[in-house]
Structure formats: C-alpha cells, structure tokens
Amino acid sequence: MNQLDKFDWAILQELQTDARLTNAELAQRVGLSAAPCWRRVRALEESGYITGYHATLDRHKLGLGVLAFVRVDAAQNTADTTLQMEESIRHLPEVTSCHYISGAGTFELQVIARDLESFSTFVRNVLLRLPNVKDVHTTFSLGEVKASSALPLPAVPTLKTRPSKK
C-alpha cells in the first residue's frame, strides 16, 4: 500500500477506537461492503499500518499502583553500549515504554510497579545493574489526566445516517 485513502483512514480510526468490531460492523461504519473492508484490513496489516490488537487493562484493579517516569543516564554514549542498554531494557516487563531522548539523560522509561517498595527494589536490583548505567532520576505520576495509545489521525468524513422524518 503506497497511499491511504479515506476508507483506509476511516478503518484505522474505527479499529483504533474499538478493535473488537466485527468486520460487518466495521464495514458499515466506514461505508463499505464486508468483502472489500476485510481485504483492506488485511492489506493494512500486511503493510504494517496495523501492527497488532490488544486489550487495555486497568493497572489499579490489577494492583499496580505506581507509575514512574525514570530518566536513565549512561556512563558512555557509544553505539555498542547504547545497543546493549536498549536490549537489556526491552526484556524488562516493568518498563512499559522506553524512549531514546535528547538533552539530559539517555533513555526515558515508563515503569509500572505494585507499590513504592517494589519500585525501589526494581531500581536497586535491576535498573542500576544494567550495563553502562551511570544514574537514574525518577518522577512519579500523581494521577493520570489522559492515558491513551490512540494516534492523532486526520479527520475523515464518517458515514452519517439521516434523522427519520416524523
């Protein structure tokens, strides 16, 4: 797929909002029949626009009350040491996102933990023992104002039903 059209954008928006839609529901929402809609979804998956489907879990209900942002400073910033750090971080389930950053620090991590004690143990026993770590700086979330993995897609015209005349 070289270029997305209005139907592709609409499919992406609808699936991003609710990935559990049946193909029939999705087709109706984007204004296509079922078969072309299914083909487009498959093409979007095969082209890498859709990389997966997942359930969004409530971390609080699961007993994961701490959300921390951790800046990791590297002792050296060479290609090899940075790749080693990246590989090590990828394997840590407590780290839900990791960004290689500009400015002060090398990586910015989002870390989820049960409580402050388990977070502290994770930092001491895991993060500070990663290869090439010089220091860590932590900021704790005091409350989530917005948490979304939805991407800001361009607005596309939606299929609208006409109001019934009485």
Side-chain angles (χ1 to χ4, degrees), residues 139-151:
T139 305
F140 292 101
S141 170
L142 299 178
E144 292 176 359
V145 174
K146 179 180 179 182
S148 174
S149 61
L151 299 176

Side-chain angles (χ1 to χ4, degrees), residues 2-93:
N2 293 338
Q3 195 170 6
L4 302 179
D5 66 13
K6 69 178 183 175
F7 293 108
D8 298 321
W9 284 110
I11 288 169
L12 293 173
Q13 182 62 53
E14 292 295 335
L15 287 177
Q16 182 170 249
T17 301
D18 184 0
R20 293 184 62 165
L21 290 172
T22 66
N23 185 59
E25 291 170 324
L26 178 61
Q28 182 182 11
R29 289 186 184 192
V30 301
L32 291 170
S33 61
C37 183
W38 182 84
R39 284 192 296 271
R40 284 174 177 266
V41 170
R42 293 294 168 253
L44 289 165
E45 291 170 347
E46 290 169 6
S47 300
Y49 289 98
I50 298 173
T51 59
Y53 300 89
H54 72 277
T56 303
L57 308 179
D58 185 320
R59 70 179 175 85
H60 296 286
K61 287 188 177 187
L62 296 169
L64 300 168
V66 171
L67 169 59
F69 301 95
V70 181
R71 189 184 78 215
V72 177
D73 298 333
Q76 296 179 341
N77 283 315
T78 66
D80 289 338
T81 59
T82 301
L83 287 174
Q84 285 179 321
M85 289 179 75
E86 288 176 6
E87 190 60 30
S88 297
I89 291 168
R90 277 190 193 94
H91 296 291
L92 302 175

Side-chain angles (χ1 to χ4, degrees), residues 94-113:
E94 297 87 350
V95 177
T96 57
S97 72
C98 173
H99 299 269
Y100 188 54
I101 59 172
S102 64
T106 306
F107 294 101
E108 185 78 21
L109 313 179
Q110 181 174 305
V111 177
I112 305 287

